[in-house]
Amino acid sequence: MTKALITGAGSGIGAAIARAFDKRGYALVLVDRDAAALDALAATLGAAPEKIICDLASRDNVELLCERLRSDLADLDILVNNAGIIVPGAVADLDQAALDLHLEINLRTPIRLMRAAAPQMIARRNGAMVSTVSLGGIISLKDSAIYSASKFGLRGFICGFHQELAPLGVKVSGVYPAAVDTPMLLHEATHGGSVLNFVDKVMTPEDIAEATLKAIDTGLLEVYSPWSASLTSRFFGSFPWMIRPLLPVMEKLGEQGRRKFLAAKGLSAQ
């Protein structure tokens, strides 16, 4: 039976991926720091998962998880690095702890987990590692510079690691969502996050779960959701000097989208 581990599985995209994997009959190992959220998710699945409570911001906790990937989870077929964090705000307004947290959870921890899982997959010449990156790993915008820095780094690692492991039978992929209707996006919408999240269509967690399955099945280096948003992001990623002159127009469109997003949830825009 295919065994898959998912970080950040307690809610949002991670929970949607868990449900999609459960439908495929995968044996699940769900990782989150919120035990109650994992219990609630497990109650909705067809088969009982293994649950691991782990704070991915703790290097000691992550090392214990890495040790398990090298021992009793050495038979893991799929690793999904989904957990992530964003604290919106200007760099000058964020404290050092917030900066470090982005780099720890979004960049350092996924690299450590992939590095721990790789030798066993290489030995079997089989396996897949997929990371939920973000279009923020393609284009960087104000008030999310540190988030983008962590995601740019993750994208760079994935690109190089993909080249190393593809000849050895191991798939390494990144999934690049636009804005996704999750608690994280709602927090951004109500706490000063970038309104540019709402310029395009807001995706569902199930959309990203589908993209994750595509990455696992195909081994593509990059899978985008939606494809249309990826074209815009990659264009401006190639010509970043064009962003600032267009910001006023883009922010106006984004604010309209933010208000519609909040209205659909019965909330008023402040």
Side-chain angles (χ1 to χ4, degrees):
M1 179 182 291
T2 300
K3 181 181 289 187
L5 183 149
I6 306 164
T7 68
S11 64
I13 295 171
I17 294 172
R19 289 189 290 268
F21 283 8
D22 182 61
K23 289 180 180 178
R24 283 197 171 189
Y26 293 173
L28 299 182
V29 181
L30 305 181
V31 178
D32 203 283
R33 64 180 181 177
D34 187 337
L38 286 185
D39 288 343
L41 172 62
T44 71
L45 301 176
E50 179 176 353
K51 295 172 287 186
I52 299 176
I53 308 305
C54 181
D55 181 359
L56 298 181
S58 164
R59 294 189 179 185
D60 290 340
N61 276 203
V62 172
E63 182 54 35
L64 290 174
L65 183 55
C66 287
E67 289 177 6
R68 293 200 60 185
L69 289 172
R70 293 186 286 262
S71 57
D72 61 304
L73 293 175
D75 59 344
L76 192 72
D77 299 289
I78 298 169
L79 169 64
V80 178
N81 288 304
N82 170 72
I85 185 174
I86 181 169
V87 180
V91 174
D93 296 333
L94 296 176
D95 61 25
Q96 187 61 45
L99 272 61
D100 291 342
L101 198 60
H102 282 87
L103 298 175
E104 199 70 38
I105 294 178
N106 295 349
L107 179 58
R108 194 175 192 275
T109 290
I111 291 175
R112 290 181 69 186
L113 295 180
M114 285 188 275
R115 185 171 177 268
Q120 295 73 245
M121 292 184 179
I122 291 171
R124 298 194 306 269
R125 299 190 68 84
N126 185 54
M129 291 184 266
V130 182
S131 297
T132 306
V133 189
S134 167
L135 291 183
I138 308 292
I139 180 173
S140 184
L141 300 169
K142 70 175 189 177
D143 297 328
S144 60
I146 299 301
Y147 174 78
S148 283
S150 65
K151 293 296 189 176
F152 268 58
L154 183 57
R155 186 191 188 205
F157 178 81
I158 290 168
C159 287
F161 206 38
H162 172 93
Q163 295 166 34
E164 293 176 17
L165 296 197
L168 304 177
V170 181
K171 303 170 184 176
V172 179
S173 307
V175 172
Y176 294 79
V180 184
D181 189 356
T182 63
M184 182 184 293
L185 183 65
L186 182 59
H187 179 80
E188 287 191 74
T190 55
H191 289 79
S194 175
V195 297
L196 299 178
N197 283 314
F198 305 97
V199 170
D200 210 326
K201 176 185 177 182
V202 174
M203 308 302 289
T204 68
E206 289 70 28
D207 292 325
I208 312 310
E210 183 178 344
T212 302
L213 289 174
K214 180 178 179 180
I216 290 167
D217 292 341
T218 65
L220 288 171
L221 173 60
E222 297 184 341
V223 178
Y224 296 91
S225 183
W227 181 257
S228 58
S230 79
L231 298 177
T232 305
S233 296
R234 284 184 284 174
F235 175 81
F236 285 113
S238 299
F239 303 99
W241 57 268
M242 295 180 65
I243 298 172
R244 191 162 62 88
L246 293 174
L247 269 178
V249 173
M250 295 169 66
E251 288 177 337
K252 183 176 180 180
L253 293 173
E255 177 58 21
Q256 293 173 357
R258 184 183 79 94
R259 291 177 178 274
K260 289 180 181 178
F261 174 77
L262 291 175
K265 294 185 175 298
L267 301 173
S268 62
Q270 300 297 322

